[in-house]
Amino acid sequence: MTYSVIPPYILRNIIDHCSGAPQESARRTLTHVQQLMAEHNHKAASSATAQPGTVLRAIYDAENTQNLPGTLIRDEGQPGNGDVAAEEAWNYLGITYDFYWQIFKRNSLDNKGLKLDGTVHYGKEYQNAFWNGQQMVFGDGDGEIFNRFTVALDVVAHELTHGVTENEAGLVYFQQSGALNESMSDVFGSLVKQFHLQQTADQADWLIGEGLLAAGIKGRGLRSMSAPGTAYDDPKLGKDPQPADMDHYIDTRDDNGGVHLNSGIPNRAFYLAAKALGGFAWELAGHAWYDTLCDKTLPQDADFSTFARFTIEHGGKRFNRSVAEAIQSAWQQVGVT
């Protein structure tokens, strides 16, 4: 399964509302994303594995082709070549690894020390980044609508977290379980950024993809976890369509049954739980969500209410009743019972 950070509906809006180079870039990117969705990728089979607590990375350069992985430009233990995108990818793969290790004692995405590979400069003005089951891939953006896709730590961590979800819960990428799959990536993507900046739940911006939208685009990021539906409102991108509660749930066949749309609902539930519990969001709410993700009794086609029940149970089991009650209240506020 391939997971890309820019959903098809954003690319379609760009095609509909732009002309010239951005329109052409979006058209090429959308065609490619649709091809990727149709392919079945095999899981990574790298022979090299990281020692627990020590990241193992490699960065490749596709040199504006779509050949993967591309030319190796940096391996673990080697110096960088000064390429900004390569440096960002390198650093953010490392920070994501460190977060999972230090907070959850997880040794890489598969918990077996999977080597983290990243390819930069993928395609020509490619308006996306994706995890293809084997590695991270970053486009450069077109500079007019999107900046380079290595610019946002939470986007890198979001995509890598798809690898964690694949290895643990295997949440089916369709309708509510697919929206939960996307939400897990937003939750842990945001937590990695908060961990890196040492921000509490109150200090965090709760945006996904801050810095990704080019100058002149009216928006703060791709998604807002605190206020879904408010991340952007721009003539080229359209208006952020995410619902914030079950009253506005979107029933659609597009976007794998609305996986990038309805993820706003569990995203906001996590935000509300983290805010209510206070302190660093990864300490209480983050652990309840991670324990749920790793619970082998969680159904692969879990809906929101099933997932909510698991987070409440794990909050109570790992911590105490007041944590469970705060989590329950957060889900109730977004209309999940």
Side-chain angles (χ1 to χ4, degrees):
M1 183 74 196
T2 296
Y3 307 90
S4 58
V5 73
I6 302 297
Y9 58 80
I10 289 185
L11 294 170
R12 284 196 199 100
N13 281 342
I14 296 168
I15 293 165
D16 290 345
H17 301 133
C18 293
S19 58
Q23 183 189 52
E24 198 40 52
S25 300
R27 191 173 277 132
R28 279 198 310 267
T29 304
L30 180 60
T31 302
H32 184 253
V33 166
Q34 287 167 336
Q35 285 169 352
L36 288 175
M37 296 293 280
E39 288 170 11
H40 185 75
N41 288 293
H42 302 290
K43 286 199 178 165
S46 171
S47 54
T49 53
Q51 290 301 308
T54 314
V55 66
L56 206 52
R57 294 163 285 191
I59 301 294
Y60 299 83
D61 187 343
E63 297 164 351
N64 301 122
T65 70
Q66 292 186 349
N67 301 328
L68 291 175
T71 307
L72 179 66
I73 53 173
R74 187 175 185 185
D75 226 337
E76 201 62 56
Q78 295 176 344
N81 65 355
D83 180 313
V84 176
E87 293 292 317
E88 286 170 341
W90 179 266
N91 290 333
Y92 294 166
L93 291 175
I95 291 165
T96 304
Y97 178 93
D98 289 346
F99 167 81
Y100 276 107
W101 175 254
Q102 290 177 35
I103 303 304
F104 304 119
K105 282 288 171 273
R106 184 179 190 88
N107 184 14
S108 195
L109 311 184
D110 60 353
N111 206 16
K112 296 172 187 165
L114 178 72
K115 188 179 182 194
L116 301 179
D117 290 336
T119 295
V120 295
H121 307 306
Y122 181 79
K124 186 174 181 286
E125 297 183 344
Y126 190 78
Q127 296 178 341
N128 224 328
F130 60 89
W131 164 259
N132 68 1
Q134 297 180 309
Q135 66 161 109
M136 278 298 311
V137 182
F138 303 98
D140 290 324
D142 60 333
E144 219 169 302
I145 294 173
F146 296 114
N147 295 319
R148 63 182 182 275
F149 279 82
T150 51
V151 82
L153 168 58
D154 51 5
V155 165
V156 179
H158 168 106
E159 289 302 321
L160 290 171
T161 297
H162 279 303
V164 177
T165 300
E166 219 166 59
N167 278 286
E168 292 293 347
L171 289 165
V172 177
Y173 204 61
F174 184 64
Q175 293 183 337
Q176 287 192 18
S177 56
L180 287 166
N181 192 319
E182 275 299 320
S183 177
M184 293 309 270
S185 280
D186 279 352
V187 163
F188 291 101
S190 183
L191 290 184
V192 169
K193 183 169 87 166
Q194 292 174 38
F195 169 76
H196 178 59
L197 298 173
Q198 286 296 295
Q199 288 177 332
T200 62
D202 281 337
Q203 294 166 331
D205 63 14
W206 295 99
L207 293 170
I208 301 296
E210 189 213 7
L212 198 53
L213 301 179
I217 299 291
K218 295 180 179 66
R220 298 173 299 145
L222 294 176
R223 289 182 289 282
S224 167
M225 295 182 67
S226 58
T230 68
Y232 59 86
D233 189 353
D234 182 86
K236 293 175 181 172
L237 290 185
K239 185 182 184 315
D240 178 1
Q242 277 206 316
D245 54 49
M246 288 304 286
D247 285 346
H248 299 93
Y249 183 87
I250 299 168
D251 224 336
T252 177
R253 294 180 67 166
D254 283 347
D255 186 35
N256 277 45
V259 295
H260 290 93
L261 295 164
N262 294 313
S263 57
I265 298 166
N267 276 0
R268 185 158 165 260
F270 181 84
Y271 159 78
L272 290 169
K275 281 279 282 186
L277 292 165
F280 293 120
W282 60 84
E283 290 178 327
L284 299 171
H287 265 98
W289 259 246
Y290 181 75
D291 288 349
T292 297
L293 190 63
C294 298
D295 188 329
K296 293 304 174 199
T297 65
L298 179 74
Q300 288 188 309
D301 62 349
D303 60 10
F304 291 172
S305 59
T306 303
F307 190 87
R309 191 178 75 245
F310 273 75
T311 60
I312 295 159
E313 284 170 7
H314 280 292
K317 204 188 303 183
R318 180 178 278 271
F319 301 108
N320 53 50
R321 195 170 150 193
S322 68
V323 170
E325 284 168 354
I327 293 171
Q328 183 171 9
S329 167
W331 284 108
Q332 286 169 343
Q333 287 175 72
V334 300
V336 175
T337 51

mmCIF file of all heavy atoms in Angstrom, residues 42-48 114 133-134:
data_model
loop_
_atom_site.group_PDB
_atom_site.id
_atom_site.type_symbol
_atom_site.label_atom_id
_atom_site.label_comp_id
_atom_site.label_asym_id
_atom_site.label_seq_id
_atom_site.Cartn_x
_atom_site.Cartn_y
_atom_site.Cartn_z
ATOM 1 N N HIS A 42 5.335 -4.506 -1.841
ATOM 2 C CA HIS A 42 5.771 -5.484 -0.852
ATOM 3 C C HIS A 42 6.480 -4.762 0.280
ATOM 4 O O HIS A 42 7.025 -3.683 0.089
ATOM 5 C CB HIS A 42 6.702 -6.502 -1.511
ATOM 6 C CG HIS A 42 6.044 -7.208 -2.655
ATOM 7 N ND1 HIS A 42 5.029 -8.118 -2.472
ATOM 8 C CD2 HIS A 42 6.223 -7.093 -3.999
ATOM 9 C CE1 HIS A 42 4.620 -8.553 -3.653
ATOM 10 N NE2 HIS A 42 5.312 -7.945 -4.599
ATOM 11 N N LYS A 43 6.453 -5.363 1.434
ATOM 12 C CA LYS A 43 7.123 -4.731 2.581
ATOM 13 C C LYS A 43 8.628 -4.723 2.375
ATOM 14 O O LYS A 43 9.183 -5.524 1.649
ATOM 15 C CB LYS A 43 6.765 -5.473 3.867
ATOM 16 C CG LYS A 43 5.348 -5.178 4.320
ATOM 17 C CD LYS A 43 5.153 -5.520 5.773
ATOM 18 C CE LYS A 43 3.724 -5.156 6.175
ATOM 19 N NZ LYS A 43 3.357 -5.753 7.436
ATOM 20 N N ALA A 44 9.251 -3.787 3.040
ATOM 21 C CA ALA A 44 10.695 -3.638 2.922
ATOM 22 C C ALA A 44 11.400 -4.924 3.331
ATOM 23 O O ALA A 44 10.994 -5.597 4.270
ATOM 24 C CB ALA A 44 11.156 -2.487 3.805
ATOM 25 N N ALA A 45 12.437 -5.246 2.601
ATOM 26 C CA ALA A 45 13.190 -6.473 2.903
ATOM 27 C C ALA A 45 14.674 -6.152 2.981
ATOM 28 O O ALA A 45 15.521 -6.846 2.442
ATOM 29 C CB ALA A 45 12.931 -7.517 1.828
ATOM 30 N N SER A 46 14.988 -5.027 3.646
ATOM 31 C CA SER A 46 16.387 -4.628 3.801
ATOM 32 C C SER A 46 17.087 -5.587 4.765
ATOM 33 O O SER A 46 16.539 -5.934 5.804
ATOM 34 C CB SER A 46 16.462 -3.201 4.340
ATOM 35 O OG SER A 46 17.784 -2.886 4.681
ATOM 36 N N SER A 47 18.277 -6.016 4.396
ATOM 37 C CA SER A 47 18.993 -6.961 5.265
ATOM 38 C C SER A 47 19.607 -6.247 6.472
ATOM 39 O O SER A 47 19.769 -6.829 7.527
ATOM 40 C CB SER A 47 20.078 -7.679 4.466
ATOM 41 O OG SER A 47 20.908 -6.733 3.836
ATOM 42 N N ALA A 48 19.935 -4.962 6.292
ATOM 43 C CA ALA A 48 20.538 -4.204 7.390
ATOM 44 C C ALA A 48 19.462 -3.810 8.398
ATOM 45 O O ALA A 48 18.397 -3.346 8.026
ATOM 46 C CB ALA A 48 21.214 -2.951 6.842
ATOM 47 N N LEU A 114 14.195 -1.744 11.315
ATOM 48 C CA LEU A 114 14.128 -1.471 9.872
ATOM 49 C C LEU A 114 14.963 -0.246 9.497
ATOM 50 O O LEU A 114 14.866 0.803 10.121
ATOM 51 C CB LEU A 114 12.674 -1.224 9.459
ATOM 52 C CG LEU A 114 12.446 -0.881 7.979
ATOM 53 C CD1 LEU A 114 12.660 -2.100 7.097
ATOM 54 C CD2 LEU A 114 11.054 -0.300 7.774
ATOM 55 N N GLY A 133 5.677 1.560 1.464
ATOM 56 C CA GLY A 133 5.820 0.253 2.103
ATOM 57 C C GLY A 133 7.269 -0.164 2.240
ATOM 58 O O GLY A 133 7.600 -1.094 2.971
ATOM 59 N N GLN A 134 8.155 0.548 1.536
ATOM 60 C CA GLN A 134 9.584 0.233 1.576
ATOM 61 C C GLN A 134 10.442 1.434 1.939
ATOM 62 O O GLN A 134 11.487 1.278 2.547
ATOM 63 C CB GLN A 134 10.035 -0.307 0.217
ATOM 64 C CG GLN A 134 9.343 -1.611 -0.153
ATOM 65 C CD GLN A 134 9.799 -2.128 -1.502
ATOM 66 O OE1 GLN A 134 9.801 -1.417 -2.500
ATOM 67 N NE2 GLN A 134 10.201 -3.382 -1.540
#
